[in-house]
Amino acid sequence: MTIQSYTVLKNLKQIANNTETELCLLGDTTLICPTWDEENNFDYSKYQDEIFSILDELVSNGYLIYPRDNKYFIALTSKGIHSKQDISSGIVGFLIKSVAVPVAVSLLTTLCTLKLFGAI
């Protein structure tokens, strides 16, 4: 996930109050708000030229859905609401696969080699 996508997701979570509330992009503005509350909004003007690609990335990664099959309406998924847990579990999984497993294999190989040659 890019920093821009993370920033947009964080702001969407804030205006949706970490719920599956349906959000919409307001017409010709640079605002995203809940469908029932235009005052509670996120101004995406900083990402205006890339907002649809950011939203598409978040949808393809499972953080958002298009509930009306329309790119102007979005909603958070459970993965989007709990994105920090998802990111941290990915990091932990990576560390286990990339660090812990190679260290364990190395130790076992060393012990087997030492045992085989009678050093232990």
Side-chain angles (χ1 to χ4, degrees), residues 86-99:
D86 181 62
I87 292 168
S88 64
S89 68
I91 291 170
V92 168
F94 171 78
L95 289 175
I96 288 172
K97 287 186 249 180
S98 299
V99 177

Side-chain angles (χ1 to χ4, degrees), residues 49-65:
D49 296 333
E50 59 182 333
I51 191 65
F52 287 109
S53 62
I54 290 172
L55 294 177
D56 285 341
E57 177 192 352
L58 291 170
V59 167
S60 69
N61 288 331
Y63 294 103
L64 297 176
I65 59 170

Side-chain angles (χ1 to χ4, degrees), residues 2-38:
T2 64
I3 298 216
Q4 294 82 358
S5 296
Y6 181 77
T7 302
V8 169
L9 180 61
K10 184 178 85 171
N11 286 300
L12 294 178
K13 286 172 55 173
Q14 183 178 0
I15 63 171
N17 292 322
N18 280 333
T19 64
E20 295 174 352
T21 299
E22 189 173 274
L23 306 171
C24 64
L25 283 79
L26 290 179
D28 293 330
T29 68
T30 57
L31 301 175
I32 298 176
C33 66
T35 53
W36 48 269
D37 183 10
E38 292 182 15

Side-chain angles (χ1 to χ4, degrees), residues 36-119:
W36 48 269
D37 183 10
E38 292 182 15
E39 299 301 315
N40 179 19
N41 59 57
F42 161 58
D43 186 359
Y44 64 85
S45 57
K46 181 177 178 182
Y47 308 110
Q48 182 174 2
D49 296 333
E50 59 182 333
I51 191 65
F52 287 109
S53 62
I54 290 172
L55 294 177
D56 285 341
E57 177 192 352
L58 291 170
V59 167
S60 69
N61 288 331
Y63 294 103
L64 297 176
I65 59 170
Y66 294 124
R68 297 187 189 186
D69 293 328
N70 181 333
K71 290 191 176 194
Y72 285 92
F73 293 92
I74 54 176
L76 292 166
T77 62
S78 178
K79 185 177 178 180
I81 293 169
H82 305 290
S83 59
K84 288 182 182 177
Q85 290 175 348
D86 181 62
I87 292 168
S88 64
S89 68
I91 291 170
V92 168
F94 171 78
L95 289 175
I96 288 172
K97 287 186 249 180
S98 299
V99 177
V101 170
V103 167
V105 168
S106 205
L107 284 172
L108 285 173
T109 303
T110 302
L111 290 175
C112 288
T113 303
L114 291 173
K115 182 75 170 172
L116 186 64
F117 291 107

